[in-house]
């Protein structure tokens, strides 16, 4: 079994940090549903401002709120205004990786979705793996993909 990216929220801005709440991260259900992230699912969080990397579980906030609130101990790693990447994963047998199509959402500073991408792994005629990032229209994007251009 291999641990594979299942979905990702890329460039979400932290809207709150509540040290006194029970641990977790509170996210907008609309973002989670579109990326395939479930309530109570463990996610990895990577802070683009500080480099901190943590793991915690998801609780759902108010629908349409565009919230991203770090709770409990996680609140020490991310502050309002920080940009984070949130990723869930799934364990699959290596041969099933080609069936996955992880969804990646990108965001502006107000946590509005600015892009919808899909990761795709295929095998060529020699059995070698190929990786592609596709936009909403299905067009292949250049890898590595830069978000600041």
């Amino acid at each position: 079994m291999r641990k594979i990216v299942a979905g990702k929220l890329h460039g979400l801005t932290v809207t709150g940090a509540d040290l006194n709440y029970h641990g977790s991260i509170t996210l907008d259900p609309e973002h989670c549903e579109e990326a395939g992230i479930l309530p109570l699912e463990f996610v990895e969080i990577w802070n683009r401002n500080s480099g901190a990397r943590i793991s915690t579980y998801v609780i759902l906030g108010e629908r349409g709120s565009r919230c991203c609130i770090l709770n409990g101990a996680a609140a020490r790693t991310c502050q309002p205004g920080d940009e984070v990447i949130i990723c869930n994963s799934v364990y699959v047998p290596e041969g099933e990786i080609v069936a996955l199509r992880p969804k990646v959402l990108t965001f502006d500073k107000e946590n509005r979705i600015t892009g919808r991408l899909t990761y795709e792994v295929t095998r060529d005629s020699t059995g070698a793996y190929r990786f592609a990032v596709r936009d909403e229209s299905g067009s292949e994007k250049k890898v590595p993909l830069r978000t600041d251009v």
Side-chain angles (χ1 to χ4, degrees), residues 52-65:
R53 293 173 169 258
I54 62 167
S55 174
T56 192
Y57 61 94
V58 172
I59 60 175
L60 300 179
E62 182 180 337
R63 185 171 294 280
S65 66

Side-chain angles (χ1 to χ4, degrees), residues 6-129:
K8 189 164 72 164
L9 305 175
H10 189 96
L12 205 56
T13 300
V14 174
T15 59
D18 186 350
L19 187 60
N20 296 311
Y21 190 77
H22 314 292
S24 62
I25 183 168
T26 306
L27 296 170
D28 185 325
E30 292 177 2
H31 294 159
C32 291
E33 290 164 2
E34 191 164 343
I37 297 172
L38 300 173
L40 301 179
E41 182 173 14
F42 272 85
V43 292
E44 302 294 322
I45 303 165
W46 307 310
N47 186 321
R48 292 180 66 181
N49 293 68
S50 70
R53 293 173 169 258
I54 62 167
S55 174
T56 192
Y57 61 94
V58 172
I59 60 175
L60 300 179
E62 182 180 337
R63 185 171 294 280
S65 66
R66 301 191 312 259
C67 67
C68 177
I69 305 165
L70 281 292
N71 302 305
R76 295 248 186 237
T77 67
C78 299
Q79 295 303 304
D82 286 354
E83 274 190 31
V84 294
I85 300 166
I86 300 166
C87 180
N88 66 342
S89 56
V90 62
Y91 286 93
V92 297
E94 182 177 340
E96 292 180 18
I97 190 172
V98 297
L100 296 177
R101 293 294 181 268
K103 299 295 182 206
V104 179
L105 305 180
T106 60
F107 297 88
D108 66 13
K109 296 286 184 194
E110 304 299 319
N111 289 344
R112 289 183 296 255
I113 298 170
T114 59
R116 291 169 173 85
L117 304 170
T118 303
Y119 288 166
E120 177 183 90
V121 175
T122 57
R123 294 190 98 156
D124 66 19
S125 60
T126 69
Y129 285 112

